[in-house]
Amino acid sequence: QVQLVESGGGLVQAGGSLRLSCAASGRTFSGYAMGWFRQAPGKEREFVAAINWSGMRTSYADSVKGRVTISRDNAKNTIFLQMNSLKPEDTAVYYCAGSTTSSNASPSVRDYAYWGRGTQVTVSS
């Protein structure tokens, strides 16, 4: 059974930082893209960041570019999301996703077959 388990969410003040982790089990994602998405109450799930199979290429949503860094450790089947200068509008449930079809850093929800259950990030003003 494939599982993606996020951790590292929490409550932080505006301007603070959080580091999210996502550990995959049940299959390896080392040859495929992985990504982070988020969903705020009443809004659709949106792309945050993605990383290609090797970790050499990344893509970011404009709303987080310059404040967020995605990385991966293929040996540990784990990806990370370092978030700095957090804003109240970053408040959302953050989901980790793994692709089984794309090796590129895809921003499309459709390219990801496996999803974690999410971790809550709350940024207070």
Side-chain angles (χ1 to χ4, degrees), residues 14-34:
S17 299
L18 282 175
R19 180 177 169 87
L20 306 184
S21 299
C22 171
S25 62
R27 67 162 289 156
T28 179
F29 288 94
S30 60
Y32 298 97
M34 294 193 76

Side-chain angles (χ1 to χ4, degrees), residues 11 14 26 43 45 66 70 75-76 92 105 109 115 119:
L11 173 64
K43 295 187 177 181
R45 190 169 298 190
I70 187 171
K76 296 182 178 179
V109 170
W115 294 82
T119 185

